[in-house]
Amino acid sequence: MGLLSGLMGNASEVDENELDKLLSNTLIPDEKIEKAYRVIRDMFVFTNKRLILIDKQGMTGSKIEMLTIPYSKITKFSKESAGHFDLDAELKIWVGSESEPLSREFKAGDNINDVYRILSQHCL
């Protein structure tokens, strides 16, 4: 079901050990990963200092773009919980003066409340 959820655009939680090699040269001293999610090949990583969006590109995914969003630049965020018939939850994050939010869907098994709590802790 994980591959099917990924293909449908839903986010699934990523094991922190998997991110160690990928982010070893990116994280600064005292920066720790709090949560990480994958949508197909792309990831978004919440640390105690920032949000990192990882975009794997190309056929092999060997080309990687990392976008850092300081929590101080997040102007608002929202969550839409899963319902009885709609099993997906949705997270939206507005950055700076952008009118369109970053939007990610979470499958029912992933706790969107944890991510919302992380954002609340760092942005409020």
Side-chain angles (χ1 to χ4, degrees):
M1 189 69 170
L3 176 60
L4 181 59
S5 290
L7 291 174
M8 294 176 69
N10 295 337
S12 58
E13 198 163 348
V14 178
D15 182 16
E16 288 181 26
N17 294 329
E18 182 181 340
L19 296 170
D20 284 343
K21 281 192 339 190
L22 184 62
L23 297 176
S24 64
N25 295 324
T26 303
L27 299 179
I28 60 174
D30 298 326
E31 185 174 19
K32 296 183 180 15
I33 297 169
E34 295 186 355
K35 286 280 183 181
Y37 292 91
R38 174 189 325 275
V39 177
I40 304 178
R41 296 188 307 175
D42 300 337
M43 291 182 249
F44 52 109
V45 180
F46 295 92
T47 76
N48 60 330
K49 305 220 179 257
R50 59 186 160 162
L51 170 59
I52 303 171
L53 300 177
I54 300 171
D55 180 12
K56 292 189 175 184
Q57 303 170 0
M59 294 296 286
T60 63
S62 59
K63 183 177 179 180
I64 298 173
E65 177 187 12
M66 291 189 192
L67 173 67
T68 289
I69 301 172
Y71 290 121
S72 63
K73 297 299 179 190
I74 296 174
T75 57
K76 59 185 174 179
F77 50 95
S78 70
K79 68 175 177 172
E80 181 179 308
S81 61
H84 291 291
F85 298 107
D86 180 11
L87 299 178
D88 298 329
E90 186 175 15
L91 175 70
K92 292 180 182 177
I93 303 171
W94 285 263
V95 179
S97 61
E98 296 289 324
S99 60
E100 292 297 316
L102 298 170
S103 182
R104 297 293 186 266
E105 289 192 2
F106 288 71
K107 64 183 182 191
D110 287 332
N111 193 347
I112 193 170
N113 293 322
D114 289 343
V115 174
Y116 197 78
R117 199 172 297 115
I118 291 169
L119 284 169
S120 297
Q121 177 183 358
H122 293 295
C123 295
L124 301 179

